[in-house]
Amino acid sequence: MATNEENTIPDSIACPQQVTDICFHTTKPAIIVGDILGKVTLYSYDDEGKVHELRTHEHHKKTIRCVRVTADGQTMFTAGKDKSWCKVDLESGALLHEQSKAHEGAIYSAEVIDSNVMLTGDEDGVIKMWDMRRLPGPVMELKENDDYISDMVCHDDRKHLLVSSGDGTLSCVNIKNRKLELQSELFDSDFLSLAIMKNASKVVCGDGDGTLQIFNWGEWGNVSDRYPGHSGSIDSMLPLSEDVMCTGCEDGKLRLVHILPNSIESIIGSHGDFPIQSLTLSHDGALIASASHDEHVKFWKTPDVDEVTVGSHSKRKGKKVGKHEKLKERKAFFNDL
C-alpha cells in the first residue's frame, strides 16, 4: 500500500451542496463528486495539497446516487434519483450516452464491470444490467428484493455479483447466466454496504444496527460470524487489504477494522456528528476520501495495513453461527444487543 509520505494531504473540499457520492479517478490524482442537486464535479489535486476544480456536469435533474469510473480511467458512469444513468468521456467531458427512464423507481446503486457493461439497482429492488453494445434496453432484469438495492460488488471473476438490500438480505447473482444463484434469509436490519474480503472467501455486510455480518463465500443462507461494535449504521465500507477495511459510520467516524480475527483497530478520521455517506481509495492507494452530510469531502492518509495487528484492547470475537441455527435464536441475539 502506498504511504503518501512525500506528499501533502489534499485540502478538504467545501462543496456548495450536500455530497451524495464520491469516486477517485482510477489513473490520475483527481476525484469526482456528486451532489444532491444532480451536479457532478471533477477536481484535481497536486503534491502540495491544493485542490483545483476542473469542470462540472449537469446531466441529471435530481440527486446523484452513484459515481463510478472504469479501471482504465477513460469513462465515468453516473446514476441518479431521476431514474437515469449517463456515460461520460473523462478526457473530453463529452456525454457519450444518456439512458433516461432506465428504471421505474429511482436508481439507488450501481456497479461498473468495464467500459461496456454496468449494473444498476433501484429503490424498488430491481437490478438491471446494461451492455453499451446492445442498447437501448437492458440485457438483464431481476426483481428478487422487496426493498431498495443498497450496494453491489462484483467478484474479480466478473461472473458473480453480490447484492445487499434494505430488506435485510444478501444475494448472489450469476451475471453470466443472468439469474439469481442464492439469497440469504431475512435479517432484522437493513443491509447497507458490502465488501469482499479474505481472498474472496468472505463477504462482509454492514447493517443498520452497526453490526458486520460475515458470510462464507458460497454459503449465502446465513452468516458465519457477526461482529457488533459500531455505534450506528455502517453506511459504507472500503477494503484496504484482504484483512483490513475502513468503515464509514452513522456517527461520523471512519474506523480501521480487521476482519477475522475481528477488531476495531483505530479511528482514522471524523466528520463530527454527520454520517459518512461515501468512501473511496485513490488510484495509488495513498489516500482515502470521505464524504458526509456536512457538505465536505475530506482526505486521509491511508494507514499502513501491513502494520495492523489485532490489539487485545479492542478485540471482540464474533459470534459463530451454525448452519442450522433457528430464526428465533437469531432474533434473540439482536434483541440482546
Side-chain angles (χ1 to χ4, degrees), residues 181-217:
E181 280 197 354
L182 197 64
Q183 188 175 81
S184 73
E185 65 174 59
L186 289 169
F187 283 74
D188 294 332
S189 181
D190 298 13
F191 280 6
L192 303 174
S193 50
L194 278 175
I196 299 174
M197 304 291 291
K198 311 295 279 191
N199 296 304
S201 66
K202 302 289 181 181
V203 175
V204 183
C205 297
D207 76 13
D209 292 331
T211 299
L212 295 174
Q213 308 280 1
I214 304 173
F215 292 79
N216 290 329
W217 184 271

Side-chain angles (χ1 to χ4, degrees), residues 26-87:
T26 51
T27 61
K28 298 178 179 179
I31 191 169
I32 303 163
V33 179
D35 71 23
I36 198 169
L37 293 184
K39 294 183 180 180
V40 177
T41 305
L42 177 64
Y43 298 89
S44 66
Y45 54 91
D46 57 35
D47 292 345
E48 297 180 353
K50 300 299 182 183
V51 178
H52 310 277
E53 182 176 333
L54 300 180
R55 62 173 178 263
T56 297
H57 300 275
E58 299 186 34
H59 303 134
H60 293 274
K61 299 176 182 178
K62 295 183 179 179
T63 301
I64 299 296
R65 288 281 174 77
C66 306
V67 178
R68 301 290 184 268
V69 178
T70 54
D72 61 10
Q74 299 296 311
T75 308
M76 172 179 70
F77 288 94
T78 61
K81 192 177 179 181
D82 60 2
K83 308 176 184 180
S84 73
W85 59 263
C86 296
K87 179 182 180 181

Side-chain angles (χ1 to χ4, degrees), residues 17-31:
Q17 304 294 334
Q18 181 178 315
V19 178
T20 51
D21 198 23
I22 55 174
C23 183
F24 273 113
H25 197 290
T26 51
T27 61
K28 298 178 179 179
I31 191 169

Side-chain angles (χ1 to χ4, degrees), residues 213-214 216 222-226 318-326 329-330 333:
Q213 308 280 1
I214 304 173
N216 290 329
N222 203 351
V223 294
S224 62
D225 292 270
R226 296 186 180 102
K319 179 183 176 182
K320 293 287 183 179
V321 181
K323 292 183 180 179
H324 304 292
E325 183 188 27
K326 295 181 180 179
E329 294 173 334
R330 178 175 62 80
F333 174 84

